[in-house]
Amino acid sequence: MAALSTTLPLNRDSVCSAHKVVKNHVHRTPVVTNQTLSELASTPTTVENLKDTRFAGRTPAKPVLRLWFKCENLQRIGAFKVRGAFYALHKLSEEPGWLEGGGKEKGVVTHSSGGEEKLKIKILLYPVHGNHAQALALAARENGIKAHIVMPEISIPAKINATKGYGANVIFSGSTSVEREAVTEKVVAETGARLVPPYDHPDIMLGQGTLGLELQDQVESSIASQVNPAGQALRGVYAAAANKTKGNKEGLDAIITPCGGGGMLSGVALSCEGTGIKVFGAEPSHQGADDAKRGYESGERIPTVSSLTVADGLRTPVGVHPWSVIFERRLVSGMYSVTDEEILKTMKLVYERMKMVVEPSACVPLAVALFDEDFRSLVEKEAGEEGWDLGLVFSGGNVAVDALGKLLAGEK
Amino acid sequence: MAALSTTLPLNRDSVCSAHKVVKNHVHRTPVVTNQTLSELASTPTTVENLKDTRFAGRTPAKPVLRLWFKCENLQRIGAFKVRGAFYALHKLSEEPGWLEGGGKEKGVVTHSSGGEEKLKIKILLYPVHGNHAQALALAARENGIKAHIVMPEISIPAKINATKGYGANVIFSGSTSVEREAVTEKVVAETGARLVPPYDHPDIMLGQGTLGLELQDQVESSIASQVNPAGQALRGVYAAAANKTKGNKEGLDAIITPCGGGGMLSGVALSCEGTGIKVFGAEPSHQGADDAKRGYESGERIPTVSSLTVADGLRTPVGVHPWSVIFERRLVSGMYSVTDEEILKTMKLVYERMKMVVEPSACVPLAVALFDEDFRSLVEKEAGEEGWDLGLVFSGGNVAVDALGKLLAGEK
């Protein structure tokens, strides 16, 4: 990673600078609309449905929501992580002396983890760091930089092969995080490679934030031209998007992104600074994976998480740098969490209704829009009958397809 | 169905007429490109890989293929069938005397079947007639016409609910085709409803053919503007599409569609008449489901099929009207068939690499492009190093998601 002294200030302009670099290497992923899911999100649930939930006894909220999905599951390597990886390597290559000192040959290193030690007995999904490892391997190859990826020996073959397929030097380690980090340090000592962490660095945050800029622009163009991103006239619930009298009249009113380490959430929040678009974070609540929400409410970052939530990309505590944006600068307006059951119910809806392959972590923001009565009440209160145009980030689509059936049948 | 005397001639102009009607009711579904799958299709297999196949001993072909996917899995009701249904009802409403005779109130009827009797012990997928039944129910509702759908009592609840959800009158029958047809005849006798068959009628063929017109137009625009349908510059393998010196220089060279009853295949063939674009049909070979291919080769239509191929939408013999276009007029240049194993391998690739939810039947054309050495040799011979721009129709995405895992793990 480039030295912290070389990073740009954490603001919207810097996200725009990052986008100028990143857009040459990644897909401008499509934004997709969906009538059925927008109608579902705009339909109040019943008192009966709330009975056995944390919202028991409430009057169901009546929000009006037009949903706009940013499809980073269709991104290169199947996840948004390439944005941060490409930008991080660009900044590294600009660091004074790095190239001259043989930086490309010394290379970069990261380790792939994320609850994977539990893999043998649990779910067969790529963990978030699997996405980061593949993203780094790809970005390094395209920049002519050597990449070392430290992986537990028990990693699933598909993941090892994918990472090797991008030309990375895969180094095996034991399966605990202590063992992985020891091997990583050894690689750094022996090769001089630079560590590129998955989220806790300003360059990564700015890189991930570029998806927020695209999403804003794509929705604005759609509403202005009254044509949806698939090239058809905006119709049904979306027709009302052009007639708002309050909120952000010409585009999105709010965005929800998943929050694991917080790299994407903080980057997207920066991309919205000064636009009037509210940004919210979404987490799984299972076994305390809602660390950012709890931290946000108590005022103190929670540095460790140990959860086997089905949203395996979000089993990480929020990082120090993201936290400074999310909480200290209040660029995120609120944090919400949903149960694993709600995440899987949402995932099933996405497969059935949108015909999209998404990983469980990617479904968490939509689960908030559909099932979190706190969020839904907020929308009702703030937007009334006009409703909100709400951006939701489908962060990735990397699932081990063999395990999909069990997942979608509600088993973990 | 409207009387045969009222149907338009089976040619490209009639498909254009149908499109003027249909386009107001259905999505202009996106056309998607994919570098990885195009590269895979353009890579020769090995002698070793061919060893245990029907192509053992051959020298692997070296085709160059740029793939363009028409995403009818993103169509309304999740399948192309709405095109034929909307056009059929439009023609019916234009039939002299139908409206005046109380046609809307008498309604339309179809029966939903497709190997479903085996459902309890076999795969949980919606059969093709399930797609047709839902399509008819939707089109009838939007035209203010009553719809009766005859279904076996053992139908899966998701399907019954989906059909009821479109406002249709669901009538249960026994599970054999004899029982279903008896109930259907009774409905016709009692209500005066018109039978709308799933494929064997010129109006249905012309309606389904409209997707062929869109596909041609979408690919031509992409190549002319050098921008892919997602709005990015054509790059990688697709960059060569604009520099062809032979074949169809400005657009598609060929299209492969699935072939069950042949409604879509014959309609697409009509949409390509006179354009120079070759059209091919793709079938599963399992348990003789390749009836159209065998008929095409022997010169005689095969009127019955009894197959439990995993491509459950294609368990149907080709119809009389489609056959007249496919074989008698030779508007289809060839038929190819693939094994269930090849179909499932292809399906897994689509989920992993394209992040698209498709049903097994939808994967059959891509399976031909990837695995059928006869087809691949033909492309090599005809197109050489310039290769072909090949349209592939993803016909639908209606799978029972709970069953996906088993399917994708290669179990049936």
Side-chain angles (χ1 to χ4, degrees):
Chain A
M1 213 66 208
L4 282 174
S5 60
T6 67
T7 60
L8 297 179
L10 287 173
N11 60 32
R12 190 171 198 267
D13 280 352
S14 298
V15 182
C16 294
S17 296
H19 193 240
K20 287 202 184 81
V21 174
V22 165
K23 71 176 184 183
N24 301 314
H25 302 285
V26 308
H27 295 319
R28 186 177 170 93
T29 52
V31 169
V32 165
T33 55
N34 192 282
Q35 296 286 345
T36 310
L37 291 180
S38 292
E39 281 166 19
L40 194 59
S42 301
T43 306
T45 186
T46 61
V47 171
E48 183 63 26
N49 280 346
L50 292 181
K51 220 170 147 190
D52 294 323
T53 75
R54 60 205 180 281
F55 306 109
R58 290 248 203 126
T59 304
K62 294 176 188 164
V64 173
L65 286 165
R66 293 173 292 279
L67 307 178
W68 304 81
F69 298 90
K70 177 69 172 166
C71 295
E72 290 287 300
N73 58 325
L74 303 179
Q75 187 50 274
R76 299 185 74 186
I77 75 114
F80 71 97
K81 292 272 176 181
V82 282
R83 295 176 181 267
F86 271 105
Y87 188 58
L89 295 192
H90 168 80
K91 289 294 287 179
L92 187 57
S93 69
E94 283 198 329
E95 188 190 279
W98 179 81
L99 187 63
E100 297 77 4
K104 284 193 167 187
E105 191 44 44
K106 288 177 183 167
V108 290
V109 61
T110 200
H111 50 84
S112 175
S113 62
E116 200 167 10
E117 44 270 60
K118 314 286 173 22
L119 231 158
K120 274 181 174 160
I121 44 159
K122 277 286 190 175
I123 349 168
L124 286 166
L125 297 164
Y126 302 159
V128 61
H129 295 191
N131 283 345
H132 172 62
Q134 286 184 47
L136 185 65
L138 173 71
R141 184 181 67 181
E142 296 200 358
N143 281 285
I145 298 171
K146 205 170 168 86
H148 308 278
I149 310 290
V150 178
M151 282 189 173
E153 278 159 343
I154 59 158
S155 299
I156 53 173
K159 190 178 141 188
I160 299 171
N161 292 335
T163 311
K164 281 186 177 167
Y166 293 119
N169 175 34
V170 172
I171 302 158
F172 292 106
S173 73
S175 60
T176 68
S177 63
V178 174
E179 289 170 297
R180 275 198 306 276
E181 279 162 28
V183 173
T184 305
E185 274 170 33
K186 199 160 156 259
V187 172
V188 171
E190 285 174 3
T191 64
R194 283 291 184 92
L195 181 66
V196 179
Y199 52 82
D200 203 359
H201 192 285
D203 292 345
I204 299 283
M205 293 155 62
L206 293 171
Q208 318 299 30
T210 59
L211 73 87
L213 294 180
E214 293 176 11
L215 173 55
Q216 292 162 46
D217 183 57
Q218 287 166 306
V219 175
E220 238 172 68
S221 307
S222 256
I223 294 178
S225 64
Q226 282 290 293
V227 171
N228 75 15
Q232 287 194 311
L234 280 190
R235 57 176 196 86
V237 297
Y238 290 95
N243 304 321
K244 286 186 285 189
T245 60
K246 44 190 181 179
N248 188 5
K249 288 173 201 165
E250 285 150 20
L252 287 174
D253 298 286
I255 298 175
I256 311 181
T257 90
C259 178
M264 172 167 52
L265 175 58
S266 58
V268 169
L270 290 168
S271 82
C272 290
E273 195 182 6
T275 62
I277 301 170
K278 289 191 165 66
V279 176
F280 302 93
E283 290 182 304
S285 57
H286 188 72
Q287 295 174 341
D290 56 344
D291 62 287
K293 179 176 190 283
R294 291 181 288 129
Y296 195 94
E297 285 163 3
S298 72
E300 202 165 334
R301 190 178 74 90
I302 293 167
T304 55
V305 164
S306 172
S307 168
L308 280 175
T309 168
V310 67
D312 59 338
L314 309 178
R315 291 175 183 171
T316 344
V318 67
V320 173
H321 295 285
W323 181 251
S324 73
V325 169
I326 294 169
F327 177 74
E328 292 164 16
R329 289 172 56 194
R330 299 291 197 285
L331 291 184
V332 169
S333 299
M335 296 295 307
Y336 295 91
S337 69
V338 285
T339 66
D340 275 18
E341 196 191 339
E342 289 164 340
I343 294 167
L344 290 172
K345 218 188 283 180
T346 303
M347 187 164 163
K348 196 169 171 182
L349 279 169
V350 174
Y351 279 67
E352 287 180 342
R353 295 298 175 161
M354 298 186 73
K355 312 299 178 192
M356 279 272 190
V357 174
V358 287
E359 54 192 62
S361 304
C363 300
V364 178
L366 176 58
V368 168
L370 292 174
F371 299 117
D372 192 298
E373 287 292 312
D374 286 338
F375 177 77
R376 293 169 61 79
S377 298
L378 175 80
V379 178
E380 182 185 1
K381 206 178 306 163
E382 296 224 350
E385 286 180 13
E386 278 193 4
W388 267 3
D389 288 286
L390 178 65
L392 299 172
V393 182
F394 277 158
S395 48
N398 290 331
V399 288
V401 289
D402 307 2
L404 268 178
K406 277 189 189 171
L407 266 181
L408 292 169
E411 300 164 39
K412 278 220 269 179
Chain B
M1 213 67 207
L4 282 174
S5 60
T6 67
T7 61
L8 297 179
L10 288 173
N11 60 32
R12 189 171 199 269
D13 280 351
S14 299
V15 183
C16 294
S17 297
H19 192 240
K20 287 201 185 81
V21 174
V22 164
K23 71 175 183 183
N24 301 315
H25 303 284
V26 308
H27 296 320
R28 186 179 171 92
T29 52
V31 170
V32 164
T33 55
N34 191 281
Q35 296 286 345
T36 310
L37 290 180
S38 291
E39 282 167 19
L40 193 60
S42 300
T43 305
T45 186
T46 62
V47 171
E48 183 63 26
N49 279 347
L50 292 181
K51 221 169 148 190
D52 294 324
T53 76
R54 60 205 180 281
F55 305 110
R58 292 248 203 124
T59 305
K62 294 175 188 164
V64 174
L65 285 166
R66 292 173 293 278
L67 308 178
W68 303 81
F69 299 89
K70 177 69 172 165
C71 295
E72 290 288 300
N73 58 324
L74 304 180
Q75 188 49 273
R76 300 184 75 186
I77 75 115
F80 71 98
K81 292 272 177 181
V82 282
R83 294 175 182 270
F86 272 104
Y87 188 58
L89 294 193
H90 168 80
K91 290 293 288 179
L92 186 57
S93 69
E94 284 198 331
E95 188 190 280
W98 178 82
L99 188 62
E100 297 77 3
K104 284 194 169 186
E105 190 46 42
K106 289 178 183 166
V108 289
V109 61
T110 199
H111 49 84
S112 175
S113 62
E116 199 167 11
E117 44 272 60
K118 314 287 173 20
L119 232 158
K120 272 182 176 160
I121 45 159
K122 276 286 191 176
I123 350 168
L124 287 167
L125 299 164
Y126 302 159
V128 61
H129 294 191
N131 284 344
H132 172 63
Q134 285 184 47
L136 186 66
L138 173 71
R141 184 181 65 181
E142 295 201 357
N143 282 286
I145 298 171
K146 205 172 169 87
H148 309 277
I149 310 289
V150 178
M151 284 190 173
E153 276 158 344
I154 59 159
S155 298
I156 53 175
K159 190 177 141 190
I160 299 171
N161 292 337
T163 311
K164 283 187 178 169
Y166 293 119
N169 175 33
V170 172
I171 301 157
F172 293 106
S173 75
S175 60
T176 69
S177 61
V178 173
E179 289 169 297
R180 273 197 308 275
E181 279 161 27
V183 173
T184 306
E185 275 170 33
K186 198 159 157 262
V187 172
V188 171
E190 286 174 2
T191 64
R194 284 290 185 91
L195 181 65
V196 178
Y199 52 83
D200 203 359
H201 192 285
D203 292 343
I204 300 282
M205 293 156 63
L206 293 171
Q208 319 298 31
T210 59
L211 72 89
L213 294 178
E214 293 176 11
L215 173 56
Q216 292 162 46
D217 183 57
Q218 288 166 304
V219 175
E220 239 172 66
S221 306
S222 257
I223 295 178
S225 63
Q226 283 290 290
V227 172
N228 76 17
Q232 288 195 309
L234 279 190
R235 56 177 196 82
V237 298
Y238 290 95
N243 305 319
K244 287 186 285 189
T245 60
K246 45 189 181 180
N248 188 5
K249 288 173 203 167
E250 285 150 19
L252 287 175
D253 298 285
I255 297 175
I256 311 180
T257 90
C259 178
M264 172 167 53
L265 175 58
S266 59
V268 170
L270 290 167
S271 81
C272 291
E273 194 181 8
T275 62
I277 302 170
K278 289 190 164 67
V279 176
F280 302 94
E283 290 182 304
S285 57
H286 188 72
Q287 295 175 341
D290 56 344
D291 62 286
K293 179 176 191 283
R294 290 180 289 127
Y296 194 94
E297 285 163 2
S298 72
E300 201 165 337
R301 191 178 73 91
I302 293 167
T304 55
V305 164
S306 171
S307 168
L308 280 175
T309 169
V310 68
D312 60 338
L314 309 178
R315 291 174 183 170
T316 343
V318 67
V320 173
H321 295 285
W323 181 250
S324 73
V325 169
I326 294 169
F327 177 75
E328 290 162 18
R329 290 172 56 194
R330 299 291 196 285
L331 291 184
V332 169
S333 299
M335 296 294 307
Y336 295 91
S337 69
V338 285
T339 66
D340 274 18
E341 195 191 340
E342 289 164 340
I343 295 167
L344 290 173
K345 217 189 285 182
T346 303
M347 187 164 163
K348 196 169 172 182
L349 279 170
V350 174
Y351 278 67
E352 288 181 340
R353 296 297 175 161
M354 298 186 74
K355 313 296 178 193
M356 279 273 190
V357 174
V358 287
E359 55 191 61
S361 304
C363 300
V364 178
L366 176 57
V368 168
L370 293 174
F371 299 116
D372 192 298
E373 288 290 314
D374 286 340
F375 178 77
R376 295 169 59 79
S377 299
L378 175 80
V379 178
E380 181 184 3
K381 205 179 305 162
E382 296 223 349
E385 288 179 11
E386 277 192 5
W388 266 4
D389 287 286
L390 178 65
L392 299 171
V393 182
F394 278 157
S395 47
N398 290 331
V399 287
V401 290
D402 308 3
L404 268 178
K406 277 189 188 169
L407 266 180
L408 292 168
E411 300 164 38
K412 278 220 266 180

